Amino acid sequence: MDVAWKKTAAEDGKTVQYTTLKVRLYPSEAQVELFENTFGCCRWIWNHMLADQQRFYLETDKHFIPTPAKYKKEAPFLKEVDNQVLIQEHNRLSQAFRVFFKDPSHFGQPNFKKKKTDRDSFTACNHVFESGPTIYTTRDGIRMTKAGIVRAKFSRRPQAWWKLRRVTVEKTRSGKFYCYILYEYEVKTPEPVIPTQETALGLKYSMGHFYVADSGEMADPPRWLKQSQEKLAKIQKRLNRMEPGSKNYQEAVQKYRELHEHIANQRRDFIHKESSRIANGWDAVCMRAASIQDVSTKKVLPGNALDAGFGMFRECLRYKLARQGKPLILVDRYALTTRTCSACGHTRPDRPHRGAWICPKCGARHDREVNAAKNIKAQGLAQYFNSQDLRESA
């Protein structure tokens, strides 16, 4: 479940909140065919709009993206799918260019989509007319334009006052269909929570324990990928002995994809449960603003940082704390938290090795990662209160 905040278009003392519900779809054969055609139309319209934009830019040195209506005469198959889906592809391409022009150093130019590598998905917005909305949920399904009512399994139901804004249909590698339903509703603006030394938590990312807290608490989730490595290797060996394209080969590929989806679901379940526990139990969380991509390239650290899902964990903490009025404080990624003594503030000239070390100035004995978590917490709280003082003085 994803939550975003929007301060505009809301009554005084209230905030517009967005929540996404994920449901499993069970489409009929005709609906599956329509979804597949829609995926193909989305790729086709994206690639043609991008190609025309590049050609127009080379000829005129100006940025322009044609609308989907321009292509319907040369490609009549576009009329078979929902027009809102094609409009959303135009909006996505426009947004991709906006973020690229805003910060080219962090965002690359939009690329052409490929059937084998890009995710199969499409998005459609809900419009309410006098005859009723174009998209709505029923007892056991979701009504969509062109597709009709698609059978669905709901793990959670929306509240009666929630407004359905849009849906995104996705097909996984294993052939399963899911729908992400975005709802909008107003909630009371949460009162800002002022953290204290006792109610704040400092977290240090750890390759060995996922994270280490300033209290010494550690999270040791199961190594899901490592546990399934034997099964994955067994399937890969079978695939190497099979003829590509045969029925047995396709069945083995399906098992391989389902196993990887199972691993990803295990990781996601742990991250959501752990982030909810921390967000509900603490008034603030202090972490380093380190790039997980950079951490994963350090060969001195064992394990795989990207496989652990710490970036997703940090994002879940952010929005779950925010909806309760609690801050997620990010400390400078280059702060000397590991080599600084949390007791006296002395900074070592070198980085301590893994395990315990003794401060040469005060003689305090530290666990390397717990000491870093304590420094992250101290620097994060100091950073938070300094920003509050500057805001009050302004």
Side-chain angles (χ1 to χ4, degrees), residues 79-327:
K79 299 178 182 179
E80 299 175 3
V81 302
D82 185 7
N83 183 56
Q84 284 296 319
V85 171
L86 306 179
I87 294 175
Q88 288 302 311
E89 286 299 306
H90 181 271
N91 294 340
R92 284 182 177 180
L93 184 59
S94 301
Q95 176 64 16
F97 273 108
R98 278 196 295 270
V99 297
F100 167 69
F101 292 143
K102 186 177 180 180
D103 192 358
S105 60
H106 288 83
F107 299 96
Q109 293 190 39
N111 296 321
F112 291 98
K113 291 186 177 182
K114 298 179 181 179
K115 184 176 182 179
K116 292 185 178 180
T117 58
D118 285 278
R119 185 183 71 159
D120 285 333
S121 67
F122 65 83
T123 300
C125 289
N126 181 31
H127 295 277
V128 181
F129 299 103
E130 292 183 0
S131 57
T134 56
I135 303 174
Y136 58 85
T137 60
T138 63
R139 182 179 178 183
D140 56 356
I142 305 174
R143 192 272 178 188
M144 303 180 192
T145 307
K146 299 282 188 179
I149 298 179
V150 183
R151 193 163 65 90
K153 183 178 180 180
F154 295 85
S155 59
R156 178 188 173 190
R157 288 286 181 173
Q159 300 296 327
W161 60 89
W162 291 10
K163 299 178 182 178
L164 195 157
R165 288 304 182 189
R166 65 170 181 261
V167 296
T168 299
V169 177
E170 175 192 21
K171 180 186 177 183
T172 64
R173 293 291 183 182
S174 61
K176 300 175 183 176
F177 288 89
Y178 291 92
C179 183
Y180 301 86
I181 312 173
L182 179 68
Y183 288 96
E184 175 190 293
Y185 53 94
E186 289 186 358
V187 296
K188 184 179 179 181
T189 304
E191 293 293 334
V193 179
I194 307 300
T196 63
Q197 187 72 22
E198 294 74 21
T199 60
L201 180 69
L203 293 183
K204 162 74 168 62
Y205 174 64
S206 171
M207 290 294 292
H209 304 284
F210 189 71
Y211 73 74
V212 176
D214 63 285
S215 61
E217 179 186 0
M218 302 177 184
D220 290 304
R223 301 289 179 178
W224 302 285
L225 182 60
K226 187 176 181 180
Q227 289 179 354
S228 303
Q229 202 67 49
E230 185 176 345
K231 294 181 180 178
L232 292 171
K234 186 177 180 180
I235 297 175
Q236 287 174 328
K237 288 180 180 179
R238 289 179 56 197
L239 286 171
N240 291 334
R241 295 193 295 266
M242 293 179 181
E243 181 181 352
S246 64
K247 184 177 180 180
N248 290 337
Y249 183 88
Q250 295 297 334
E251 290 178 355
V253 169
Q254 180 70 7
K255 290 182 180 179
Y256 185 80
R257 291 172 175 173
E258 289 179 350
L259 183 55
H260 267 294
E261 282 187 17
H262 178 64
I263 296 169
N265 290 336
Q266 287 177 310
R267 184 189 305 113
R268 192 179 297 110
D269 178 71
F270 166 79
I271 287 174
H272 276 289
K273 288 180 179 178
E274 191 67 16
S275 59
S276 296
R277 184 186 68 83
I278 293 175
N280 295 333
W282 299 90
D283 290 345
V285 178
C286 305
M287 306 172 70
R288 289 187 64 170
S291 171
I292 304 301
Q293 191 73 32
D294 293 342
V295 173
S296 65
T297 59
K298 295 183 179 180
K299 299 186 182 300
V300 295
L301 296 176
N304 187 344
L306 299 179
D307 176 58
F310 196 78
M312 179 183 177
F313 174 72
R314 189 166 60 189
E315 180 61 22
C316 288
L317 267 180
R318 182 196 62 78
Y319 82 77
K320 290 178 182 180
L321 287 166
R323 66 183 179 184
Q324 300 182 48
K326 302 175 181 179

Side-chain angles (χ1 to χ4, degrees), residues 42-55:
C42 288
R43 284 191 300 270
W44 191 94
I45 199 73
W46 174 283
N47 291 338
H48 279 71
M49 289 189 298
L50 181 56
D52 288 345
Q53 186 276 337
Q54 292 178 350
R55 184 169 60 252

Side-chain angles (χ1 to χ4, degrees), residues 52-88:
D52 288 345
Q53 186 276 337
Q54 292 178 350
R55 184 169 60 252
F56 186 83
Y57 185 80
L58 290 175
E59 295 175 355
T60 64
D61 200 27
K62 293 182 179 179
H63 171 71
F64 173 74
I65 303 177
T67 61
K70 172 183 178 296
Y71 303 96
K72 290 190 176 181
K73 288 186 178 180
E74 61 176 293
F77 56 84
L78 295 176
K79 299 178 182 179
E80 299 175 3
V81 302
D82 185 7
N83 183 56
Q84 284 296 319
V85 171
L86 306 179
I87 294 175
Q88 288 302 311

